[in-house]
Amino acid sequence: MNKNQANNPKTTLLLKINPTNPEPEKIQTAAQIIQKNGLVAFPTETVYGLGANALDSNTILKLFKTKNRPMDNPPIIHIADTYQVNLLTKEVPKNAEILMKKFWPGPLTLIFKRASIIPKETVANLDAVAIRMPKNKIALSLIKQSGTPIAAPSANISGKPSPTTAQHVYTDLNGKIDAILDGGPTNIGVESTVLDLSIDPPLLLRPGATTFEDIQAILPNVLLHHSIINSEQNVDIKQARSPGMLHKHYAPNAEMLLIDGAIQDIISKITTLAEQYRREGKKIGILATDETQKEYATMNTVKSMGSRLNLDTIANNLFKKLREFNESPVDIILAESVPTDGMGLAIMNRLQKASNYNVLKA
Ligand code: TXA
Ligand code: MG
């Protein structure tokens, strides 16, 4: 391959595939691409992943480059059979076995001490490896058919909201990857829970649909990483506007403020702020909920994330709504917070990151 070819855009193959009964020939096509060290985006139950042969270091380097992902942030390795955990890890602690039995396949990623078979590029030189078994027929068939564990970070350009539809993947990665398996929108909408079992006590690094409470019921000594507990910062508007690239994640193009507190206070605060920003000539987006959206003036672009009575609906819509604000541009997004029980913790964690930790107390 000459230099020019390397920089040329590729043709990205788009394959619509049946999520309940994936067509074997489409899985075969995608699996062959993985085996030839190509990159294939595929749905999981959480978000779309960008799959690559986890055991080939050059492919992994290509994966990082394609996503524009910092090299120190390792992807999750996806497997289809529990025996693969033994191949990829040094030891499987007893508590891991219990969690795997209860929650796999499903939205729980476990971190283990790694085996030497995994190239150091795949784990960013760490001694640990993150593994999960997704609960999605397309993903499971693809992994099985490929005959190799598949490294799959979310299939977005780093820093953007994770993709929950094939269209989101297409927007970010068309011309850069070999194929997209379009199995429709994902069920859950936020990425898997990440739990570190390579240390004692176990530490929850990223909240997801397998909730902290779910894990606590089995491992009573599990801890929440301090950044998840202490991420609320009581900042005034001036401070809130200051950029801080460190945490940039899931970010819409517009600046975003997350308003926290009791629901009536949130509504009043957002109403006041919206009025204030409008006087400055700004276009305002409001990230509200089914129950509250009618409270805001219609001159604002108001979008509902879902129902407060069913936080799963909010998780499911969150990244989609953040991306929508890039298509109908606004200058500032004012977002409602939700309670942090159950799925709420995962939602708030993503909202905090999307807002770059610009959290205002209502
Ligand atoms: O739901 C999901 O987990 C999706 C789908 C595609 O499976 N994948 C996903 O991957 O969200 P990614 O790469 O966007 O996020 C992986 C997370 C990162 O926060 C990374 O820092 C963490 O897992 N991680 C991976 N390996 C790790 C390790 N050895 N130690 C600590 N954290 C690790
Ligand atoms: Mg990601």
Side-chain angles (χ1 to χ4, degrees), residues 32-107:
Q32 277 168 358
I33 297 174
I34 295 283
Q35 286 162 352
K36 288 186 191 148
N37 297 331
L39 302 179
V40 178
F42 61 95
T44 77
E45 78 280 37
T46 56
V47 299
Y48 273 73
L50 181 57
N53 180 353
L55 303 182
D56 187 79
S57 47
N58 282 328
T59 311
I60 296 298
L61 291 174
K62 180 167 69 177
L63 175 68
F64 275 98
K65 203 169 160 220
T66 303
K67 267 187 61 98
N68 199 12
R69 181 172 174 112
M71 290 296 296
D72 61 357
N73 192 11
I76 295 166
I77 299 188
H78 293 62
I79 59 167
D81 283 294
T82 37
Y83 81 85
Q84 290 177 297
V85 175
N86 299 310
L87 304 177
L88 299 171
T89 60
K90 228 177 225 164
E91 54 178 323
V92 181
K94 186 90 195 109
N95 57 11
E97 278 175 19
I98 300 169
L99 292 171
M100 282 154 53
K101 237 194 193 129
K102 181 141 177 75
F103 296 114
W104 280 8

Side-chain angles (χ1 to χ4, degrees), residues 120-133:
K120 62 181 187 338
E121 290 80 5
T122 306
V123 287
N125 283 316
L126 297 174
D127 291 331
V129 58
I131 305 178
R132 90 176 189 97
M133 189 190 291

Side-chain angles (χ1 to χ4, degrees), residues 13 21 58 95 105 120 131 137 147 172 217 226 230 235 252 259 344:
L13 178 67
N21 202 2
N58 282 328
N95 57 11
K120 62 181 187 338
I131 305 178
K137 281 193 179 160
D172 281 15
H226 64 84
N230 299 324
V235 284
I259 318 301

